[in-house]
Amino acid sequence: MYGPKGKGLLRCGAACLLALFLCAAGPVKAAQSSRMLVPVGHTVGIKLFARGVVVVKLSDGGTPAREGGLRTGDVIIQCNGAAVTSAEQFQGLLQESRGAADLQVCRSGDNMTLSVEPEPNEQGVYCIGAWIRDSMAGIGTMTYYDPESGEFGALGHGITDVDTALLMPFSNGSILPSTVKAVKKGEVGSAGELRGNFDLTCQLGELHANTSSGIFGAMEPAASLGEAVPVGMAEVGPATIRSNVQGDEITEFHVEILKVSENAADGRNLVLSVTDPALIAATGGIVQGMSGSPVLQDGKLVGAVTHVLLSDPTKGYGILINHMLEASGS
């Protein structure tokens, strides 16, 4: 959701709203034409809590974190044998350590143990000189809902940390009702953004996975989501995308699929061009928050919007729906 992911590209999820101070999919299978999914296209609020805490920045100088071998992007899972569950709880564990702490760390998929010696600051609080994050929240778009299983998929790409650009290690999360209140229009060199509110007190569903091809979870049946359509394979030519760029109203907008690359990585299976004057007038094209907007062609769900081109906000990329379904495990 959440910041630059390559030269001239920006993923179209929301900017991070909450930050605590402190895989590519497999081969594409043949289209499952018998599979019926509801193409949703409505924004949702997203809360995600990390497994452990992520080191997003190290303080300058000879800090305990640097001397102990911690690196940006490390995930601290345990401290002195106790599971790390939040930034606040980790700070408490450091305080209890009183100058000696063994940290179990996950780095690029490998676990290791590092020893650090926390030092008290002027207030007597033991610190290691690392900025950490344990959660993220923002707005994105739900791609599909499976009325048979109650499963849903959204975003079309993973939730990555805004500082490290690494996939957030997943512990748990949820989706929340969201309404678009305003739009920052996209311009050449500057991505636009859907700006909205979501209700932290009302949960629509639970997340069970954060993958490079989308986020996935389950929710209660909701007839208001719309009618199910077949899953299909994308082809070069006219198509539509579904998105709510104002309030709660979902609108279908015209786009053109310029290119289909089944084996492309990073959610760039589809090259899309917005051709709908109404969408261009409202948003300037593809904007952040539209990640996950379903792509439909000939009455079938074929993919989801994932990125906008910073050099031309009327163009962007999408992921094939089969990549999302493979990543979901369903």
Side-chain angles (χ1 to χ4, degrees):
M1 43 250 259
Y2 306 107
K5 301 300 166 199
K7 187 175 182 180
L9 286 176
L10 196 66
R11 287 187 174 180
C12 307
C16 175
L17 300 179
L18 299 179
L20 295 181
F21 170 68
L22 315 167
C23 31
V28 178
K29 293 182 178 179
Q32 304 175 44
S33 57
S34 61
R35 184 98 183 248
M36 302 290 288
L37 300 174
V38 177
V40 181
H42 199 288
T43 56
V44 288
I46 301 165
K47 291 194 304 182
L48 184 146
F49 295 92
R51 182 178 63 93
V53 294
V54 181
V55 178
V56 299
K57 183 181 178 181
L58 297 177
S59 300
D60 295 332
T63 62
R66 289 184 181 275
E67 292 176 355
L70 273 175
R71 299 179 186 175
T72 300
D74 284 349
V75 182
I76 302 173
I77 301 171
Q78 292 185 5
C79 177
N80 287 338
V84 174
T85 58
S86 70
E88 183 178 4
Q89 181 250 9
F90 177 59
Q91 180 60 62
L93 293 174
L94 291 180
Q95 193 70 15
E96 293 173 5
S97 73
R98 294 289 176 174
D102 288 333
L103 307 181
Q104 184 177 341
V105 172
C106 180
R107 178 182 296 165
S108 301
D110 296 325
N111 289 342
M112 62 187 69
T113 299
L114 301 176
S115 295
V116 297
E117 297 183 4
E119 298 175 348
N121 61 16
E122 294 179 355
Q123 289 74 41
V125 177
Y126 280 82
C127 304
I128 60 174
W131 298 65
I132 58 176
R133 180 173 289 122
D134 63 3
S135 63
M136 295 187 73
I139 292 175
T141 297
M142 184 181 292
T143 305
Y144 69 83
Y145 172 73
D146 187 335
E148 289 192 2
S149 66
E151 301 284 310
F152 67 84
L155 293 185
H157 60 66
I159 296 177
T160 55
D161 181 78
V162 293
D163 293 296
T164 67
L166 299 174
L167 197 68
M168 285 286 287
F170 180 79
S171 172
N172 63 84
S174 59
I175 58 169
L176 316 163
S178 169
T179 300
V180 176
K181 296 296 186 181
V183 177
K184 174 192 172 187
K185 294 183 67 172
E187 300 176 352
V188 174
S190 176
E193 179 185 354
L194 298 182
R195 294 173 174 170
N197 298 333
F198 53 89
D199 185 355
L200 291 169
T201 66
C202 182
Q203 181 172 301
L204 294 176
E206 294 186 354
L207 295 175
H208 58 60
N210 175 34
T211 79
S212 59
S213 297
I215 60 172
F216 305 97
M219 61 185 291
E220 293 297 320
S224 60
L225 291 176
E227 297 294 325
V229 302
V231 169
M233 290 296 293
E235 298 179 352
V236 171
T240 59
I241 61 174
R242 281 188 166 184
S243 186
N244 72 300
V245 298
Q246 184 176 10
D248 285 315
E249 182 180 358
I250 300 173
T251 305
E252 202 156 305
F253 299 103
H254 295 285
V255 300
E256 186 85 10
I257 299 177
L258 303 178
K259 183 178 179 180
V260 179
S261 302
E262 292 188 4
N263 297 319
D266 302 326
R268 286 178 279 179
N269 304 121
L270 306 175
V271 179
L272 304 170
S273 176
V274 177
T275 58
D276 200 306
L279 182 57
I280 294 174
T283 65
I286 299 170
V287 298
Q288 294 187 79
M290 288 175 64
S291 264
S293 295
V295 180
L296 296 106
Q297 192 174 49
D298 299 326
K300 298 178 181 180
L301 175 61
V302 299
V305 175
T306 57
H307 300 77
V308 59
L309 273 174
L310 290 177
S311 60
D312 182 355
T314 67
K315 292 182 172 61
Y317 292 94
I319 185 173
L320 289 169
I321 190 63
N322 283 340
H323 273 301
M324 290 189 68
L325 293 176
E326 290 232 356
S328 74
S330 63

